[in-house]
Structures are given as structure tokens and as C-alpha cells.
Amino acid sequence: MPIVMDLKALKTYQFLLKPHYLVNLILAASFFILKNLPHLCNAIFETCEYEMRELELLTFLGCVLALKTKKQRSSFKEYFSTLCMFTKILNVLLYGRYNILYSAIYIVACLVHMIFIPAPADYAGPDSITYFRGPNLEHELEKDKRITWLIAFYASWSPACVKLAEEFAKISYDYSLPNLKFGKIDASRYQDVASQYKVDGSSWSKQLPTVILFVNGKEKMRRPYVDYKGTVQKFYFSEKNIKDHFDLNELHRQCKSHPIGRPSKPQASAGAVQKKTQ
């Protein structure tokens, strides 16, 4: 029994060995590590002792985490990511108390981590997704307007996009039909294509991920949407929310009741990569 428990515990924490989470931990703990290394802390901060204001900020961080944890049940991985996120925000303030340049360097380090060592996708199950490259998305939408498409615009560095990947993959496998298809395009890599569909693919975008439903080659709806003031209306991408807001059960029923003939030799557009795994 103890061995089984140890194996379960090991499986729970083994994600910490992945580069993204390991670097995230180092960045989150960097201020406290430096504060406890005598020679470095004296050179950088001029003192190794914690000031009262720093202790107050640490206490505030503990209160924020306690309240957030109480509101929602999270896995250890989600709790760890939340802890690192708030700790890094606190670090910006703590470094800035000594030198604004320290804060700037720290922010750059966090951005480099976010862009070049993004959180890995955990889902390894089946899906039925077409991955688009460049302008081939427009060509595919126009090629056969009988096909309804649900397209996800994403960025590999975005935690929200990484989280969406699992839900979108499951839905694509469950609902895919010859005339109801699912696709993804990297909006950060193909920003010109994303902007064509009014999706901001920049590093500071609040629109990622964005999922758009195309019917008869035209956009029918999207989530999140931007209101008339230009404000992005937040949307929580759970599997249930995606199904409900895009009315996928009804959409699937309609597409299934109006099938289209399959070509004898199926061809994908150049730059569109069809992936269906089981």
C-alpha cells in the first residue's frame, strides 16, 4: 500500500521535471533564492534581511492564494501554476523596490520563458483536427461552402490556448463529420491571417484563444467576441461551454441529416495538415 501511494505521489509531481515547469519554479523563487545567498544578496540588494514591507507583501500573497484556492477546486498542477504566476507578479514589485532595472530584466526573462518554453499540452488522446498554415485557411473555407468549420486561433505560448487544446481535441473527435470539420491555426505565427479574421495574434493579445464558427464560408459567431467599444468579452473555454454556446449538438444533427458526397480522391489544401488520431 505505501508503495502504491508513493507511485501516485510521484505521478502527481513528475510534471515538475518538464522544462516549462522547472524554469517557472526557478523564476518564481528567484528573489527568495538570491536573498538567501550571502554574497549575491549583499552585491544585489545590499542586505540579506527581509524588510517589513517585503514580509507584508508575502503575507498578502498568501491571503490571495488562500482565497483563490477556496473559490475553486484545482489540481496540484493548476495550483502550482497559479502560485508561480502570483509569485512572479510579487517578484516584479520586490525587485523594483531595489532597482527598476531589476524589474525590467525580470519581466524580460518571464516573457522569454513564456514564448520559448511554453507549457506543454497534456492531452494525448484522439482528435480530428486540420492544422492550417498561412492563407490556406481562406482557400479551404471557400473551396466547399457546404462544409461547416469550427476554427480555433491559438498561440503556443498562451496557457489558455494550451488548456483549450484538450477540450477542442475531444470535441473534434466526437463531432467531426465530412461536412462538419474542426481546424486550428497559430495566430501568433500567422498574424496577417489572424488579423484578416479580426483576431489579434500579438504577444499582448487578449483574444487568444478565439474560436470562430464558419457556415457557408462566412463567420456566424465567435467566442470571445469584441463589443462595440472594442472590449474583449471574456469567455471560459470548457468543453461544456463550447458545446452549449456553439450549439454543437444541433449543428451535428443538422450536418448529419444533410450529408455531402465524398470525393473519390480526397485532397487537402497545400499547407493544411489533416490529423486524425485514435
Side-chain angles (χ1 to χ4, degrees):
M1 188 67 175
I3 296 176
V4 174
M5 292 296 291
D6 288 343
L7 289 174
K8 287 183 178 179
L10 182 62
K11 190 174 181 179
T12 301
Y13 302 121
Q14 68 180 1
F15 74 90
L16 292 171
L17 298 176
K18 295 181 179 179
H20 170 82
Y21 298 104
L22 189 60
V23 175
N24 205 18
L25 178 60
I26 293 170
L27 284 171
S30 62
F31 181 83
F32 310 101
I33 292 172
L34 293 173
K35 267 285 188 176
N36 287 280
L37 295 175
H39 296 293
L40 282 176
C41 71
N42 284 321
I44 298 173
F45 306 115
E46 298 181 355
T47 176
C48 294
E49 296 181 2
Y50 287 97
E51 298 179 5
M52 182 59 67
R53 184 58 176 166
E54 293 170 351
L55 295 175
E56 289 174 353
L57 289 171
L58 286 172
T59 303
F60 177 73
L61 172 65
C63 293
V64 170
L65 289 171
L67 288 171
K68 191 167 182 65
T69 304
K70 188 176 181 180
K71 286 182 179 179
Q72 59 183 34
R73 293 183 178 180
S74 303
S75 65
F76 178 74
K77 183 184 293 185
E78 291 172 332
Y79 177 78
F80 173 82
S81 296
T82 301
L83 173 63
C84 287
M85 180 182 69
F86 282 105
T87 305
K88 288 189 288 187
I89 293 172
L90 176 62
N91 282 346
V92 173
L93 298 175
L94 293 174
Y95 280 121
R97 283 174 54 79
Y98 292 94
N99 192 323
I100 194 66
L101 181 61
Y102 295 166
S103 288
I105 293 172
Y106 184 74
I107 290 171
V108 170
C110 290
L111 289 174
V112 169
H113 166 250
M114 182 175 68
I115 295 171
F116 294 103
I117 316 178
D122 297 322
Y123 183 72
D127 66 46
S128 181
I129 297 174
T130 300
Y131 290 85
F132 292 100
R133 299 169 182 167
N136 304 100
L137 172 58
E138 182 181 11
H139 173 75
E140 192 69 24
L141 292 173
E142 293 292 330
K143 186 173 72 172
D144 191 343
K145 293 185 178 181
R146 296 174 300 172
I147 298 174
T148 296
W149 282 93
L150 196 64
I151 305 293
F153 292 78
Y154 73 98
S156 59
W157 46 260
S158 167
C161 294
V162 173
K163 189 176 185 303
L164 170 66
E166 180 173 349
E167 281 81 3
F168 198 75
K170 288 179 180 177
I171 290 171
S172 72
Y173 187 75
D174 292 339
Y175 287 85
S176 180
L177 292 169
N179 56 342
L180 176 56
K181 297 185 178 183
F182 297 79
K184 295 180 76 174
I185 183 167
D186 189 338
S188 63
R189 185 176 180 184
Y190 303 107
Q191 292 191 28
D192 54 337
V193 178
S195 63
Q196 184 180 339
Y197 296 96
K198 299 180 181 179
V199 176
D200 180 10
S202 63
S203 301
W204 50 85
S205 173
K206 294 182 180 179
Q207 288 183 266
L208 299 177
T210 286
V211 176
I212 303 179
L213 176 65
F214 293 93
V215 178
N216 296 322
K218 303 295 182 182
E219 177 181 337
K220 184 176 181 180
M221 68 175 296
R222 69 168 63 198
R223 290 292 183 275
Y225 68 91
V226 180
D227 65 19
Y228 69 96
K229 294 181 179 179
T231 304
V232 178
Q233 299 300 309
K234 292 183 179 179
F235 181 79
Y236 179 65
F237 281 101
S238 67
E239 185 175 350
K240 182 179 184 303
N241 281 349
I242 296 171
K243 289 179 181 178
D244 291 346
H245 283 265
F246 289 96
D247 200 7
L248 287 183
N249 288 321
E250 176 61 19
L251 197 61
H252 183 270
R253 187 193 67 77
Q254 290 178 3
C255 290
K256 197 170 185 178
S257 62
H258 298 88
I260 59 175
R262 296 184 178 182
S264 57
K265 292 183 179 180
Q267 293 182 348
S269 300
V273 181
Q274 176 70 33
K275 178 186 175 187
K276 183 157 186 174
T277 59
Q278 297 184 357

